[in-house]
Every structure is written in structure tokens, then in C-alpha cells.
Amino acid sequence: MSFPLHKLPMNAALHVLRRMVIHDQLTYSLCSKNTKRMVKSLGLRATTIQIIICSFIEIDISFNSSNSICFSSYFDHGYYFPDEEFRIPWDIEVCAWNDCKKKTEWEWFSANIGIREYLHHFIDVLQHPRIDELFFNNEDVHAGFIVPVQKVLKGLQILELGLNEQNIHEESVESLYC
Amino acid sequence: MSVENAPVVDVDEAAIPVEKKMYYRFESNDKKEFRVSELAIQQSETLNRLVEAMGYTSEDVENKPAIAIENIDGKTLKLVFQWCEHHKGEAIPVDDGSVPKIVEIPEFDAKLMDIDNGLLFKLIWAADYLNIVQLLNVSCKKVANMAQGKTPAQLRRVYLLPSDEEDEAAKRAAQEAQDPRAREVEEEFEERKRQGGNSFF
């Protein structure tokens, strides 16, 4: 059953938005430019934004010690990226933790924006212009992955680089530091 | 001293001040009348200010016409006043600016709001208009709960969210409605450009 939220007076519509749980607010922000502006006006603040690269690329957003949300998308290892970009993911998986328990898990298909757009969207909405940690954690991460990762993160400040060095190729480490 | 041994005291009941309850009369836009206690009215900042400003006595309430609430219908107003009577005397919450808001929906409120979405929309509209903070909190929480675990595509359907293009068109229409002359000037300018003229004058 539908509810015409945007037909309410703006004050009441914002009241509804303030009463959503945080991961629903972020999902709502993805619906249109207007919904993005509305969520941005709430002044939500993330404590950390972390990017994890392994068999998938994951954007992990934490709000406090017990609430976090992660948006992740899988990609093929060693896949040749002709345009040196991550392809637009065919699905996005979302997990939200509330009070350290996995509260919600859902997935959407035919996403029409790529992982870079997701990342920059959340950075803008949460007014958090940095990546607190970029973590590589897979034995198959190789030098060919670095350029697409750089493109995703271009222009963003990265505070910490994490490597699972036991699993990672030596030449990949060298590329990362370049 | 046990209750049985307590001295019996004659009480002059006439001497005890009896709190006189005052009931105001309100009328909806479809001419339905409601009698609402003074204490219940305090839940609505708008109505409370209105009755204070009117300064009605008990006689005035009976003799003067009911206070008209022009833009709320009887079905909605009935729910509003049922809610106010049930919660009369309760403290009105103060917005501390925290997001997200933690709101629990009490059982009575959940039953009251077991209504279709059309009426829920009117109830929120009325709670906002009459400035009934806690009714707005619980009714908005019910609508917020509709978002739980939904994808962006599902949210667009649940909340009938306009697309970017529809928002742009609505914005343009609102601007034109504000200043129709601006649209005419713009069209004239575009026409002159098509005809190859650079100057508007």
C-alpha cells in the first residue's frame, strides 16, 4: 500500500524522515536528487567510512560502536577492465547492524550507478570527505586492480591503508604504494 | 494505627473545591461537532493558543457557535480528539534535535492508527496543522516504519516518490505560477533567438 510522502507539508515529511532508522534514511537518499537533499539536511554523521577490497568491493559506514551499514558488490577476480573502471554492478547487497546484531539484509538488482557513485553519494550525504581506511584483503588482489581502485577513490583523502600482507602479491604492494 | 481503628471524620463535601471541567466545542469542515476537555486541548499548541486568546467562559462555550476548524474533516478530527483525550495531562515532548528519533508507538495509538493510508495522511496533516507534537511523532513513526528494509525502487513505489524529472517539472510549474510574466518573457526571448535576433530590445 502506498503513502504519498511528498504531498505532506515539508515539516511533516521531514518528521517522517527523522523517524526512519539510519540505513533506511541512506536508502531513501538514493531515490532522487530531492530525497538526497532532504537526507543531507538531517545532518547525519558517520564515524568512519571504510573500503574493503577482496572478492568484492565493500563500502562500510559506521555510525557508532553498535550501528553500521555496508554496501557491497562482487566483481570477478582478474577480470579485464577495458576502461579501467569497475563495471556497474548488477546487484548491490546491503547489510545493516543495529546494536551489533545483523538487523536487516537486503539486495537490489539492476543498479544503475557504479560503486564510485555510491561512495561519493554517501560521502556527500554524510559530509564525511575522507576514507578512514582502505583495506586490501585477498590473495588475488594484483597490480591490475590498482588503477580501477584509484579511479573509484580519486580526489578523496585516505587516512589509513591496510594490507593483509600474508596474502597479497609483492608487486601488488609495490603498485599500491606508487 | 490500623485502618479499622482510624477516627471517622464528618466531611462537609460542599466545602471541598470541585475542579470545574470546561469543555470546548469545535466544528469540522463537514459540520460535525465535538466537545473536547480543556486539558485535552493542551496537547495542541494551536488550539490551546486559540482558546486562550478567545478567553471563553463556560457560558460562552455553550452560547456562542462552536469553534470552526475549516480544513479538517469530521472523521479526522474525531481521531485527533480521541487521541488528545486519551493523552490529556501528559507532558509534551521537546525536540532535542537528535536523529534518528527513537519513538515507541503505544498500544492505544497503534489501534487508533489502524486505518487506511488516506486517513493516516489526513491525520498527520492535522497533527502538523494543530501542532500536536506527540501525535505527529507516533503517526510519522508509523509512516517511517513502511521504509524498513526496502530497496530504493521499493521506496519509490511505497512513498510515490517523484523522479528527478517530475521534481524539476513541478519546480518549474511552481515558479511559473508565482510569476506568469517571467514565463512569457522567457518564451518571447526564445522565439527571438530562433528568429536569429540577438537583442531582446
Side-chain angles (χ1 to χ4, degrees):
Chain A
M1 222 164 43
S2 58
F3 185 93
L5 182 59
H6 285 208
K7 295 259 193 279
L8 282 174
M10 184 50 85
N11 174 52
L14 285 172
H15 249 77
V16 172
L17 195 51
R18 284 192 203 101
R19 276 146 195 83
M20 285 181 191
V21 291
I22 209 150
H23 46 272
D24 292 330
Q25 289 169 333
L26 288 185
T27 310
Y28 180 83
S29 76
L30 289 161
C31 292
S32 70
K33 285 179 187 167
N34 194 21
T35 60
K36 181 183 174 186
R37 268 195 298 273
M38 286 170 74
V39 176
K40 197 173 171 183
S41 77
L42 300 181
L44 303 175
R45 291 284 185 275
T47 48
T48 59
I49 296 182
Q50 193 181 26
I51 307 292
I52 300 164
I53 312 277
C54 49
S55 59
F56 48 83
I57 183 164
E58 180 179 301
I59 303 170
D60 203 333
I61 305 169
S62 298
F63 295 95
N64 52 43
S65 56
S66 56
N67 279 299
S68 69
I69 184 164
C70 74
F71 292 80
S72 58
S73 186
Y74 287 85
F75 58 89
D76 295 330
H77 293 168
Y79 187 89
Y80 175 64
F81 302 101
D83 51 1
E84 293 184 329
E85 297 271 7
F86 284 110
R87 291 163 303 147
I88 288 174
W90 69 281
D91 74 329
I92 294 281
E93 282 185 22
V94 186
C95 292
W97 280 266
N98 193 352
D99 296 330
C100 304
K101 290 175 193 157
K102 191 185 277 190
K103 176 125 180 165
T104 320
E105 187 169 15
W106 69 101
E107 173 172 26
W108 61 74
F109 299 94
S110 310
N112 56 2
I113 60 172
I115 204 84
R116 176 181 162 81
E117 284 75 19
Y118 273 98
L119 179 62
H120 284 257
H121 174 91
F122 294 128
I123 278 173
D124 188 24
V125 166
L126 300 167
Q127 297 163 71
H128 188 99
R130 62 177 190 275
I131 302 299
D132 297 277
E133 189 183 13
L134 170 64
F135 191 73
F136 287 85
N137 183 25
N138 193 279
E139 58 188 16
D140 289 335
V141 171
H142 54 73
F145 273 34
I146 306 309
V147 173
V149 170
Q150 281 173 334
K151 286 203 168 190
V152 167
L153 303 176
K154 194 177 174 186
L156 296 172
Q157 184 190 13
I158 300 167
L159 296 190
E160 207 173 315
L161 181 64
L163 298 169
N164 188 345
E165 292 196 40
Q166 284 180 328
N167 288 337
I168 212 159
H169 293 299
E170 201 174 308
E171 65 268 26
S172 306
V173 177
E174 284 167 14
S175 308
L176 280 171
Y177 285 117
C178 285
Chain B
M1 191 188 294
S2 69
V3 175
E4 289 83 357
N5 296 331
V8 177
V9 180
D10 286 332
V11 176
D12 178 8
E13 289 188 0
I16 300 173
V18 178
E19 192 191 341
K20 202 174 178 187
K21 282 185 184 172
M22 188 145 139
Y23 284 82
Y24 287 88
R25 288 160 54 230
F26 293 94
E27 191 181 76
S28 62
N29 62 4
D30 49 0
K31 307 290 174 206
K32 296 215 170 78
E33 196 175 300
F34 299 90
R35 294 176 79 85
V36 189
S37 71
E38 196 174 10
L39 199 55
I41 287 169
Q42 286 171 9
Q43 289 294 324
S44 162
E45 197 186 321
T46 308
L47 292 182
N48 198 35
R49 281 188 183 176
L50 182 71
V51 296
E52 273 179 9
M54 288 174 134
Y56 274 12
T57 61
S58 304
E59 288 74 32
D60 289 337
V61 167
E62 294 307 324
N63 298 331
K64 292 188 176 178
I67 301 165
I69 302 179
E70 297 286 355
N71 36 17
I72 303 176
D73 64 32
K75 205 172 173 187
T76 312
L77 214 46
K78 186 180 173 187
L79 289 176
V80 168
F81 289 143
Q82 273 179 343
W83 187 92
C84 289
E85 288 291 357
H86 184 83
H87 292 278
K88 65 186 172 193
E90 290 179 12
I92 294 166
V94 179
D95 193 344
D96 60 359
S98 63
V99 176
K101 299 272 172 211
I102 296 161
V103 176
E104 297 287 336
I105 302 179
E107 199 182 336
F108 174 85
D109 297 10
K111 277 186 186 162
L112 187 91
M113 293 189 296
D114 189 12
I115 49 180
D116 65 65
N117 282 351
L119 190 53
L120 182 62
F121 181 91
K122 287 180 181 177
L123 183 66
I124 294 177
W125 197 97
D128 182 52
Y129 177 72
L130 299 174
N131 206 351
I132 307 174
V133 178
Q134 186 57 9
L135 178 57
L136 192 60
N137 279 344
V138 291
S139 52
C140 287
K141 180 63 181 172
K142 178 161 176 158
V143 177
N145 287 346
M146 295 175 191
Q148 275 179 359
K150 300 278 192 305
T151 67
Q154 289 168 331
L155 283 185
R156 283 189 200 105
R157 284 195 295 276
V158 168
Y159 291 135
L160 302 174
L161 298 176
S163 63
D164 288 341
E165 293 73 26
E166 287 165 332
D167 277 332
E168 280 299 317
K171 197 176 160 189
R172 273 199 306 276
Q175 279 170 350
E176 282 168 23
Q178 264 187 343
D179 186 3
R181 177 65 192 141
R183 178 70 185 154
E184 283 170 27
V185 170
E186 197 180 314
E187 278 172 4
E188 210 176 322
F189 182 67
E190 288 299 321
E191 182 57 31
R192 281 170 189 248
K193 255 174 57 178
R194 270 196 297 277
Q195 289 169 1
N198 289 329
S199 170
F200 188 66
F201 302 101

